[in-house]
Amino acid sequence: MNDFALWPVLAGAAAFFAVGALWYGLLFSKPWQRAAGLSNTQLREGNMAVIFGLTLAFELLIALVLWHLLEKTDPKPLVVMMMAVGFAGGVMIPAIGINYLYLRKPLALFLIDAGHFLFGMAAMGGVFVWLRA
């Protein structure tokens, strides 16, 4: 891709990752843990380096795809935000919802996770608006 730009993709992914850290660390750690049905022991058993590493890798992929789309279409700043938030609301959140329906996950878990995707994508969109200015 000739429109690949490393720094915006890294910055967009970092913004999404930072929202996740705040979302699941400070704001909703206990409600998320209860809704997910995870004990403290289960949370300690996970390999956090792998979990965080793969999370960042997936967020880099999301940032790469959105950045590529922005570079191909050259939208105005408001449209960048509409695309970022619209991708969350129109693709990512419904996909989570479908999975959670079949997994019989509680509404509280869906709302917490959906909020993370919505605000994470808004943060990424904001970074992209700032870097494209």
Side-chain angles (χ1 to χ4, degrees):
M1 278 186 278
N2 61 356
D3 56 355
F4 175 76
L6 180 62
W7 294 116
V9 169
L10 289 174
F16 200 145
F17 195 85
V19 167
L22 290 171
W23 200 260
Y24 294 110
L26 292 176
L27 299 175
F28 296 104
S29 63
K30 291 300 178 186
W32 176 85
Q33 183 179 352
R34 278 192 304 275
L38 295 170
S39 68
N40 288 335
T41 302
Q42 288 172 305
L43 289 177
R44 284 191 298 273
E45 289 173 350
N47 184 333
M48 295 313 292
V50 170
I51 291 169
F52 287 153
L54 288 174
T55 297
L56 185 58
F58 288 136
E59 290 171 348
L60 282 165
L61 180 58
I62 293 166
L64 177 67
V65 170
L66 183 58
W67 183 262
H68 174 74
L69 182 60
L70 297 176
E71 288 300 294
K72 289 295 183 190
T73 59
D74 194 27
K76 295 183 184 311
L78 177 62
V79 177
V80 171
M81 291 305 297
M82 290 170 61
M83 290 168 77
V85 173
F87 189 71
V91 177
M92 299 165 86
I93 293 170
I96 295 167
I98 291 167
N99 281 345
Y100 284 13
L101 287 171
Y102 286 95
L103 291 171
R104 281 40 172 209
K105 296 294 182 184
L107 178 61
L109 183 63
F110 170 74
L111 293 174
I112 292 167
D113 290 342
H116 166 242
F117 279 96
L118 190 65
F119 283 92
M121 289 301 292
M124 184 182 291
V127 166
F128 287 171
V129 166
W130 176 59
L131 292 174
R132 295 181 84 238

